[in-house]
Amino acid sequence: MRLTCPLCGARDRREFTYQGDAIMLTRPSNDDPTAFSDWLHLRDNPAGRTRDLWYHEAGCCAWLVVERDTVTHAVHSVALVEGEDAD
Amino acid sequence: MPAGPAGWLGTGREIGMGRTTGAIGGGMGSGSGRFSGWRILKEGLTGNRGWRPHFRNPAPKPEYDVLIIGGGGHGLATAFYLAQEHGLTNVAVLEKGYLGGGNVGRNTTIVRANYGLPGNSEFYSHSLKLWEGMERELNFNTMMSQRGVLNLYHSDGQRDAFARRGNAMRNQGDDAELLDRAAVRRLVPYLDFDNARFPVHGGLLHRRGGTARHDAVAWGYARGADHRGVDLIQNCTVTGIDIVQGRVTGVQTTRGAIRAKKVGIVVAGRSSEVAAMAGMRLPIESHVLQAFVTEGLKPVIDHVVTFGMSHFYISQSDKGGLVFGGDLDFYASYAARGNLPMVEHVMEAGMTLMPMIGKARVLRSWGGIMDMSPDGSPIIDRTGVDGLYLNCGWCYGGFKAVPGSGFSFAHLVATDRPHAPAARFRLDRFATGRGLMDEEGTGAQHNLH
Ligand SMILES: Cc1cc2nc3c(=O)[nH]c(=O)nc-3n(C[C@H](O)[C@H](O)[C@H](O)COP(=O)(O)OP(=O)(O)OC[C@H]3O[C@@H](n4cnc5c(N)ncnc54)[C@H](O)[C@@H]3O)c2cc1C
Ligand SMILES: [Zn+2]
């Protein structure tokens, strides 16, 4: 698998660290414990198209949103998370 | 043999679909034919013409008391124990492919009870005891081989952690021995003890651990369930779960609607997909785990050996192939096949630990879809829907759990009460934070295990 980093170009999968579902970008407020716990733990976990976060650790150190297919491993798009915080 | 899908397709289908094969046999379909030395002798002398399929291949009835979705190890064991322990025989297992074609036919067959945390500890202890009685109970040769599982340690810190784990295992009533370097050398002289990066300092030996033949476990439970009246329905994909006023009433399948009072979801890597049919989102991500097998060799590796500093473990099948694997590929996947970086990593780790295997040729590799939970431990629980039960989250370690999971899940489904050894496998532990079972101590969130 190769990911095309918008900053660095096509790079080997081993340069990237996987974080998980891009839902991590839309953190709910702490006020509603159920919503917060659901956000942290529950996943759509689709068999098919998914959006997840990757970190270009051995490259530019940018956080990336990757749209890809979990069944075929095809990569549809790679974009910078930009200003959003991905912790 | 522990060889995975390729070897499986032939025999699995043929036996499951009720065609006669020359393979392992039972009696005339359901209810007949015990295995015995006498029978093997007789068949051997009469051209092995008396063997018959082990289980029927029935069409679904319109209604059952209990439906089990998923004909893997856990689903088949659940059906067996529903009949055997609870007298529930108006039961069907619905399998979208052929019985045992999922992870139960793709794993590296390691059986052990070396967990350290309350919850896991008592559950796997119970499961190992069931393994020890399985062949007698099923009248089926599952090739259970308690050859010992040896976890190597490579640093003082790791030795301390293993000492602690060993004590936890013994407190649970299971066996564990902490071995020093000399003792490990006597047991497995072929390791590279002095490799500069990860010298071998010793190991934790769990003698009652070992391997079993994965296919046989699926077939054995299938045959036992079938003989007790359970319908095993193959090529039957569940496409919907019917719920009326908060109560499950049945399922929709590719072979028509089937009504039921109770439904159990036991579909491993496909858990999220099936739970979504009941409007649920699960704390599960599906990931791919690979395994590898070499050509058959003369006996050389007598135990299960795990490398404590890298992702590598190995055993030798009774057919002679070296069966080994490593870690997840580490990204969500339903592909049931992995990528090359992990292949390379596993080979490197193997060569670091035991250079002698370098000349063995790898015959094939494959992948399975793992139902990864946030804390790395499983879920056996009720759901928000009456009569709907959930069994998932086995991560990369659910083969050893097959009997225990089936036993405990059958208890839950039959009695509506959790079975003591599995009582801590609660679905709500992630929301409450109470009773998280994070064996590796890495945290209870996705992608940390
Ligand atoms: C490479 C590899 C190595 C492993 N090594 C070990 C090991 O050494 N020790 C260990 O303890 N564990 C190991 N495991 C883990 C173990 O194999 C799994 O945790 C366990 O088999 C999962 O339970 P199961 O057998 O019920 O799953 P499966 O066999 O996957 O059963 C689930 C079944 O559900 C069916 N299904 C899915 N969706 C539907 C639907 N909609 N309708 C009907 N049926 C459906 C599937 O077709 C499948 O047959 C390994 C796994 C892999 C992949
Ligand atoms: Zn980059």
Side-chain angles (χ1 to χ4, degrees), chain B residues 104-173:
Chain B
V104 74
R106 291 165 183 262
N107 65 78
T108 44
T109 79
I110 297 166
V111 172
R112 56 188 167 91
N114 59 357
Y115 285 70
L117 293 182
N120 284 329
S121 202
E122 60 265 35
F123 174 82
Y124 288 103
S125 183
H126 178 241
S127 196
L128 182 56
K129 289 187 190 103
L130 290 174
W131 275 107
E132 290 172 333
M134 179 190 287
E135 292 178 343
R136 199 170 291 252
E137 181 161 43
L138 296 178
N139 174 236
F140 202 86
N141 182 6
T142 55
M143 295 167 74
M144 172 64 171
S145 158
Q146 293 179 293
R147 56 186 68 184
V149 174
L150 177 64
N151 300 132
L152 299 170
Y153 59 79
H154 310 267
S155 68
D156 290 350
Q158 205 171 24
R159 182 199 55 217
D160 293 350
F162 279 15
R164 182 168 180 271
R165 174 172 298 259
N167 284 331
M169 291 159 66
R170 292 172 79 134
N171 283 342
Q172 178 59 44

Side-chain angles (χ1 to χ4, degrees), chain B residues 364-398:
Chain B
R364 56 184 176 271
S365 67
W366 63 91
I369 312 171
M370 317 281 53
D371 37 333
M372 299 301 298
S373 70
D375 65 356
S377 293
I379 296 160
I380 295 184
D381 207 346
R382 289 169 283 236
T383 65
V385 178
D386 286 339
L388 184 65
Y389 306 85
L390 181 66
N391 177 324
C392 66
W394 295 99
C395 301
Y396 31 69

Side-chain angles (χ1 to χ4, degrees), chain B residues 27 36 53 65 91 93 101 117 151 163 167 215 256 270 328 377 384 395 423 440:
Chain B
S36 64
D65 291 338
V91 172
V93 176
L117 293 182
N151 300 132
N167 284 331
D215 301 341
R270 297 279 172 179
L328 298 173
S377 293
C395 301
E440 292 171 8

Side-chain angles (χ1 to χ4, degrees), chain B residues 4-14 16-17 71-72 95-102 104-106 219 233-236:
Chain B
W8 237 102
L9 287 162
T11 34
R13 279 229 178 85
E14 287 164 76
M17 299 306 287
E95 166 54 47
K96 81 171 175 187
Y98 59 94
L99 296 181
V104 74
R106 291 165 183 262
W219 294 332
I233 299 163
Q234 306 179 70
N235 296 315
C236 180

Side-chain angles (χ1 to χ4, degrees), chain B residues 122-263:
Chain B
E122 60 265 35
F123 174 82
Y124 288 103
S125 183
H126 178 241
S127 196
L128 182 56
K129 289 187 190 103
L130 290 174
W131 275 107
E132 290 172 333
M134 179 190 287
E135 292 178 343
R136 199 170 291 252
E137 181 161 43
L138 296 178
N139 174 236
F140 202 86
N141 182 6
T142 55
M143 295 167 74
M144 172 64 171
S145 158
Q146 293 179 293
R147 56 186 68 184
V149 174
L150 177 64
N151 300 132
L152 299 170
Y153 59 79
H154 310 267
S155 68
D156 290 350
Q158 205 171 24
R159 182 199 55 217
D160 293 350
F162 279 15
R164 182 168 180 271
R165 174 172 298 259
N167 284 331
M169 291 159 66
R170 292 172 79 134
N171 283 342
Q172 178 59 44
D174 295 316
D175 70 287
E177 289 161 54
L178 195 66
L179 304 184
D180 62 12
R181 191 177 153 100
V184 170
R185 203 188 274 278
R186 277 194 296 278
L187 214 56
V188 287
Y190 50 79
L191 300 181
D192 180 4
F193 281 80
D194 295 314
N195 88 75
R197 184 67 184 85
F198 302 122
V200 177
H201 287 327
L204 185 66
L205 179 63
H206 172 41
R207 288 190 193 272
R208 283 167 63 231
T211 60
R213 184 178 177 203
H214 50 10
D215 301 341
V217 173
W219 294 332
Y221 276 116
R223 171 175 174 266
D226 176 273
H227 286 193
R228 283 162 184 76
V230 172
D231 282 356
L232 307 173
I233 299 163
Q234 306 179 70
N235 296 315
C236 180
T237 306
V238 172
T239 55
I241 297 178
D242 298 330
I243 298 164
V244 177
Q245 290 177 342
R247 230 209 120 71
V248 74
T249 58
V251 301
Q252 301 293 322
T253 79
T254 48
R255 299 182 69 175
I258 308 174
R259 291 190 304 280
K261 299 187 187 72
K262 294 181 173 181
V263 176

